Amino acid sequence: MRWDLLFDDLESQLDQEQRDEERALAIEEERLRLGRLTLRDRLSAIASADGDDRHDPTASVRVELQGGRILALRPLAFGRDWMSAELREPGRGGAQCIVPLGAIAALLPTRAQLDPSLEPLPESSARLAERIGLPFVLRDLCRRRTHVQLTTVDGVSHGTIDRVARDHIDLALHDADAPRREREVQGYRVVPLARVLLVAFR
């Protein structure tokens, strides 16, 4: 009888040690996963969690750009180093924007968004958009001759992107309500991409 109790006790101890070891391993794996999270991952997780609220006008995530400007955005797509979003600001209904991820000074999630932002994302099938860099997206705006409001660390300019090089863009400056015609152009700005905070357009 004593031997039975001894073996039961040993078995119970082994089971407990194995559970403790599995728990410690799971905690360490979670710590490693969190250590690999990027800001892009957190934004993408919030966007996925808010997926059911896409038509809710209040569904948005707040970000602070370098320099302190705070924007309410509804993320639409993510590239390698940028995200596209709908601006959720008064008077800016329907406006879209491109935000370089390097221009984000802080993500300002609500309490309800904080935990979902830490959730693991489903394994993506390496979508093409996720590998596209900022210059490629800006070239598309250039090709379409889209009027943009360009916000940089130095201020805001209105105009049309004339060309996109590897690390800078040429912006033809003109009034927001004027088309890009030579007679309407008031000047030109050659802007390093590293200084771009936001490209807004309709």
Side-chain angles (χ1 to χ4, degrees):
M1 196 66 155
R2 275 192 228 153
W3 287 111
D4 289 345
L5 291 173
L6 178 64
F7 288 136
D8 286 347
D9 187 44
L10 285 173
E11 189 175 340
S12 174
Q13 286 180 31
L14 285 172
D15 285 347
Q16 183 62 41
E17 286 177 14
Q18 186 173 356
R19 282 195 298 272
D20 290 346
E21 191 176 314
E22 287 170 356
R23 192 177 305 116
L25 186 60
I27 290 170
E28 184 59 25
E29 284 176 356
E30 179 65 3
R31 201 174 286 132
L32 288 170
R33 185 188 72 79
L34 290 175
R36 289 189 297 268
L37 273 181
T38 64
L39 183 66
R40 180 185 181 282
D41 294 335
R42 306 263 323 249
L43 278 163
S44 188
I46 290 173
S48 295
D50 289 344
D52 297 335
D53 300 326
R54 288 191 182 276
H55 301 295
D56 177 0
T58 62
S60 62
V61 60
R62 292 171 62 235
V63 298
E64 180 181 342
L65 300 180
Q66 292 174 23
R69 182 177 175 191
I70 296 175
L71 299 173
L73 306 170
R74 182 173 70 86
L76 300 172
F78 293 88
R80 185 178 67 233
D81 54 356
W82 57 273
M83 79 169 171
S84 68
E86 180 184 320
L87 282 166
R88 293 287 177 96
E89 294 181 316
R92 300 294 295 268
Q96 294 189 2
C97 64
I98 305 294
V99 182
L101 295 178
I104 297 175
L107 177 58
L108 307 171
T110 63
R111 181 67 191 98
Q113 291 172 328
L114 195 58
D115 288 341
S117 78
L118 297 169
E119 290 297 316
L121 289 168
E123 289 297 321
S124 69
S125 54
R127 293 179 50 208
L128 179 61
E130 294 171 0
R131 297 194 308 259
I132 292 174
L134 179 62
F136 186 91
V137 178
L138 296 180
R139 282 187 195 104
D140 183 57
L141 293 175
C142 175
R143 218 177 358 262
R144 290 190 278 141
R145 310 305 287 160
T146 303
H147 176 270
V148 300
Q149 176 182 302
L150 182 72
T151 304
T152 68
V153 294
D154 306 303
V156 178
S157 304
H158 292 271
T160 302
I161 300 172
D162 275 350
R163 64 192 58 81
V164 180
R166 181 177 184 169
D167 64 351
H168 64 277
I169 61 172
D170 289 13
L171 184 71
L173 303 172
H174 56 81
D175 291 335
D177 55 354
R180 200 281 188 222
R181 303 274 186 270
E182 205 55 47
R183 66 179 179 276
E184 301 289 345
V185 173
Q186 301 155 1
Y188 302 91
R189 284 179 70 88
V190 178
V191 182
L193 291 179
R195 299 189 74 77
V196 174
L197 301 179
L198 180 72
V199 183
F201 57 92
R202 287 190 179 275

